[in-house]
Amino acid sequence: MPPRKDASFMEVDSDSDISIPDDIEAPRRAKAKGKAKAGDKRKAEHKAKNKDQAYAWEATYTRSWETVREDAQGSLQSSVEEILARGRRRRTIIRHLVLIIDLSASMTDRDMRPTRFDLTLQYAREFIAEWFDQNPLGQIGIVGMRGGLGERIGEMSGNPQEVVRSIADRHALEPNGEPSLQNAIEMARSSMSHLPTHSSREIVILFGSLTTCDPGNIHETLDACVKNKIRISVVALAAEMKICREMCDKTGGQFGVAMNEGHYRDLIFELIPPPAQKALNQLAGATGAPSSANPAADLMMMGFPTRLPESSQPTLCIAISAG
């Protein structure tokens, strides 16, 4: 059959390809090219996103070096100290500490400027502020040693301003006489005798003398501290004394002799972090007693009040909360 010819139609053959005019084909090609470019752009963005995104096994890994930032002077010290402080705060436990300060005549020596006494009061204030910052649930008491007696300077308190205020008056703490380790430790031990087992009991002694004037056998006092699980640490300003070293070794505390003002401050601030819990097992081995696991802590009663005794008649309790 011959091909049909018409003015309005092109000559069409069944074996030939259809020819499409350029004015129709050009927009179609541009549209297809645009879609290809958009697809390539999305692929590039997806690839870049996957490149920046960490793997699943990297999600749980903390890059500590990325959290360190330089300060205005270009130093990394402030960032490092902040990271260490955060780690110490996670170890917070309930602590009770008695700070024993030597107020004997030996504290008037000027081998540490301005004097041993003034420098000790300055470091004691800094120690108290930093100690409460890292141990917000703890309490501190202050005891002085002078005139052969132990003197209670500040009651056990959890308010840092109140504790610092107790040693703010320099003239009331003027050094004189000889110190007495036994009297001061006995006073500190009596103030912690009522504490529960879930809290630590610690004594820190800032000792500047080479003698101690004791009314009895100080080794009996030391044995009582070991029995009550009281940890004694000593920072000496003159030289090492055998009794001071023995107290620290038997109770699991720390001992050090300050060589200069900076070393004195370092020794004091080393006592701020909470003590290791395994100190109880070491303590048992040091005293010859059989080592055992740490005793279970007493539960702290919180919430609604408990009726005591149980056989008493029911009563009405009304609790009003300030809104």
Side-chain angles (χ1 to χ4, degrees):
M1 180 177 179
R4 185 180 61 179
K5 294 182 179 181
D6 193 3
S8 60
F9 293 91
M10 296 181 297
E11 184 176 351
V12 179
D13 193 345
S14 59
D15 295 333
S16 64
D17 295 333
I18 298 176
S19 177
I20 301 176
D22 292 340
D23 58 344
I24 299 176
E25 180 66 15
R28 184 181 299 175
R29 289 178 180 174
K31 185 176 182 181
K33 188 176 181 181
K35 288 183 178 179
K37 289 183 178 179
D40 294 341
K41 185 178 180 181
R42 285 194 297 268
K43 289 181 180 179
E45 292 177 354
H46 183 68
K47 185 177 181 181
K49 183 178 180 180
N50 291 339
K51 185 178 180 181
D52 296 336
Q53 186 176 3
Y55 291 101
W57 58 269
E58 291 181 321
T60 58
Y61 186 79
T62 302
R63 299 180 176 90
S64 58
W65 58 87
E66 293 181 355
T67 61
V68 179
R69 296 289 184 270
E70 295 182 355
D71 55 14
Q73 289 74 27
S75 175
L76 301 176
Q77 185 65 26
S78 58
S79 297
V80 173
E81 291 178 353
E82 183 180 354
I83 294 174
L84 295 177
R86 286 200 300 265
R88 289 192 294 263
R89 291 190 185 99
R90 284 194 290 266
R91 300 172 50 199
T92 299
I93 60 175
I94 300 177
R95 302 174 66 186
H96 293 82
L97 181 142
V98 175
L99 180 63
I100 299 179
I101 301 177
D102 188 356
L103 300 178
S104 64
S106 60
M107 295 297 287
T108 59
D109 291 349
R110 296 182 177 273
D111 55 347
M112 292 188 178
R113 297 295 180 180
T115 62
R116 291 181 179 180
F117 172 63
D118 292 315
L119 188 64
T120 298
L121 290 184
Q122 176 187 342
Y123 287 166
R125 299 186 192 102
E126 297 176 5
F127 170 82
I128 293 169
E130 184 67 19
W131 192 91
F132 275 108
D133 181 67
Q134 297 189 26
N135 304 275
L137 301 180
Q139 296 185 10
I140 289 183
I142 307 293
V143 173
M145 296 184 294
R146 60 180 172 182
L149 301 173
E151 181 180 345
R152 193 181 306 277
I153 299 174
E155 297 289 342
M156 188 79 69
S157 173
N159 186 349
Q161 288 80 16
E162 182 179 346
V163 178
V164 172
R165 196 181 305 119
S166 64
I167 58 174
D169 190 357
R170 181 188 184 282
H171 298 288
L173 304 175
E174 196 67 32
N176 65 80
E178 294 291 330
S180 176
L181 282 174
Q182 185 180 22
N183 286 332
I185 293 175
E186 284 289 352
M187 180 171 292
R189 188 174 69 88
S190 63
S191 65
M192 295 187 289
S193 60
H194 65 284
L195 298 178
T197 57
H198 66 260
S199 62
S200 68
R201 309 175 186 183
E202 306 169 48
I203 295 176
V204 173
I205 304 175
L206 306 181
F207 195 56
S209 179
L210 288 174
T211 60
T212 175
C213 182
D214 301 325
N217 188 356
I218 192 173
H219 293 279
E220 296 179 359
T221 301
L222 176 57
D223 294 338
C225 291
V226 172
K227 182 179 180 181
N228 295 333
K229 298 181 177 59
I230 297 177
R231 182 174 183 259
I232 301 178
S233 298
V234 179
V235 178
L237 300 180
E240 179 177 332
M241 292 177 59
K242 183 177 184 298
I243 184 59
C244 294
R245 169 68 74 175
E246 187 175 352
M247 285 191 300
C248 297
D249 292 342
K250 286 190 175 182
T251 60
Q254 301 181 29
F255 178 82
V257 178
M259 296 182 293
N260 50 52
E261 292 86 344
H263 188 224
Y264 184 24
R265 186 180 188 277
D266 292 340
L267 290 176
I268 296 176
F269 274 64
E270 286 177 0
L271 303 174
I272 292 178
Q277 294 298 315
K278 62 181 180 181
L280 291 178
N281 292 338
Q282 296 175 352
L283 177 61
T287 56
S291 62
S292 59
N294 294 346
D298 295 337
L299 296 179
M300 299 179 65
M301 301 297 295
M302 303 180 66
F304 291 99
T306 303
R307 186 173 68 252
L308 296 175
E310 293 294 339
S311 58
S312 61
Q313 296 296 326
T315 58
L316 179 63
C317 177
I318 299 177
I320 302 177
S321 61

